[in-house]
Amino acid sequence: MISYHPVTPKKTVLEGTFVRLEPLNVAAHSEDLFVAASVEDRAEKYRYLAEAAPEELQDVTEWAEAASRSADPLFYAIVDKRTGKAVGRQAFLRIDAANGVIEVGHIYWGPAMARSRAATEVMYLCLTYVFEELKYRRFEWKCNNENQPSKVAAGRFGFNFEGIFRQHMIQKGLNRDTAWFAIIDSEWAVLKPAYESWLAPENFDAEGMQRTALSQLTAAALGR
């Protein structure tokens, strides 16, 4: 018989070397998140998110007011420690403490996170928190099956593809077939060294270019 003691995630700061995850705060993060979303292709970047791309600061403020009050999803802002600016956001959701299952989603990573160690460190912080502090058994990643960048990212981060839920939901008036991915606790034991190897300073040259791709390290760790 499994002996499991459920723990619910709290509004706590997750501190890394390059980024810090802070519980979403309207006053502290709305303006930065609007800047992060103010890109030419924002409609495409928001295509698979629940809300429409913001056109003005008030759109983000209103969204943040509702999101910051939510316990599930539990939203975080991603803060670049060099600048102190929020450069993205994401959430824990579908929190099932009784069974030790939690999902990451509602992800928007702004351009300041591109081609940097930020996104990988964010995922490392979340995985460490979920498996080592909360003691969960399963960490899920789900996305629209048409969302190819999200599916590629899931594989890069070491999530295992588990299948497609056909006609899973209607989102923004359109059908959504949902691709399911997950990491379980036993897999994190071998994935953690892969993440740490990728994030290590010696994995980057003088120009900041990676020597070994994270996808190579996670695939090797899982024997893919």
Side-chain angles (χ1 to χ4, degrees), residues 9 72-74 76 90-93 95 102-103 126 129-130 139:
D72 185 355
L74 179 60
Y76 288 82
Q90 61 188 59
F92 291 127
L93 67 152
I95 301 165
I102 196 168
E103 180 180 344
C126 289
Y129 179 58
V130 164
F139 190 47

Side-chain angles (χ1 to χ4, degrees), residues 99-143:
N99 292 296
V101 180
I102 196 168
E103 180 180 344
V104 64
H106 296 282
I107 296 171
Y108 178 84
W109 293 337
M113 292 181 65
R115 294 179 298 279
S116 77
R117 281 172 270 193
T120 298
E121 186 176 59
V122 165
M123 200 55 57
Y124 174 80
L125 292 171
C126 289
L127 286 159
T128 302
Y129 179 58
V130 164
F131 287 123
E132 299 182 19
E133 187 166 340
L134 300 182
K135 305 297 184 182
Y136 275 46
R137 304 169 62 235
R138 175 178 169 88
F139 190 47
E140 298 179 336
W141 175 299
K142 304 188 186 87
C143 63

Side-chain angles (χ1 to χ4, degrees), residues 3 65 91 98 102 134 142 153 156 176 183 208 210:
S3 177
E65 286 172 347
I102 196 168
L134 300 182
K142 304 188 186 87
R156 174 178 179 268
R176 169 172 150 167
I183 296 172
Q210 66 180 3

Side-chain angles (χ1 to χ4, degrees), residues 46-182:
Y46 272 76
R47 178 181 176 186
Y48 298 110
L49 290 172
E51 69 276 10
E55 298 295 332
E56 55 187 34
L57 176 58
Q58 185 64 22
D59 296 332
V60 176
T61 301
E62 291 176 358
W63 168 84
E65 286 172 347
S68 63
R69 292 193 297 268
S70 172
D72 185 355
L74 179 60
F75 281 91
Y76 288 82
I78 302 164
V79 176
D80 185 330
K81 294 180 68 171
R82 295 172 302 172
T83 64
K85 302 290 187 181
V87 292
R89 47 87 159 178
Q90 61 188 59
F92 291 127
L93 67 152
R94 303 187 187 279
I95 301 165
D96 181 359
N99 292 296
V101 180
I102 196 168
E103 180 180 344
V104 64
H106 296 282
I107 296 171
Y108 178 84
W109 293 337
M113 292 181 65
R115 294 179 298 279
S116 77
R117 281 172 270 193
T120 298
E121 186 176 59
V122 165
M123 200 55 57
Y124 174 80
L125 292 171
C126 289
L127 286 159
T128 302
Y129 179 58
V130 164
F131 287 123
E132 299 182 19
E133 187 166 340
L134 300 182
K135 305 297 184 182
Y136 275 46
R137 304 169 62 235
R138 175 178 169 88
F139 190 47
E140 298 179 336
W141 175 299
K142 304 188 186 87
C143 63
N144 191 310
N145 191 46
E146 296 182 0
N147 189 346
Q148 293 301 322
S150 183
K151 290 162 67 175
V152 169
R156 174 178 179 268
F157 290 130
F159 287 80
N160 279 293
F161 174 65
E162 296 184 331
I164 298 170
F165 276 33
R166 298 174 298 161
Q167 297 186 183
H168 179 222
M169 63 177 69
I170 297 171
Q171 191 172 53
K172 294 180 177 176
L174 300 173
N175 174 65
R176 169 172 150 167
D177 296 339
T178 299
W180 287 52
F181 300 81

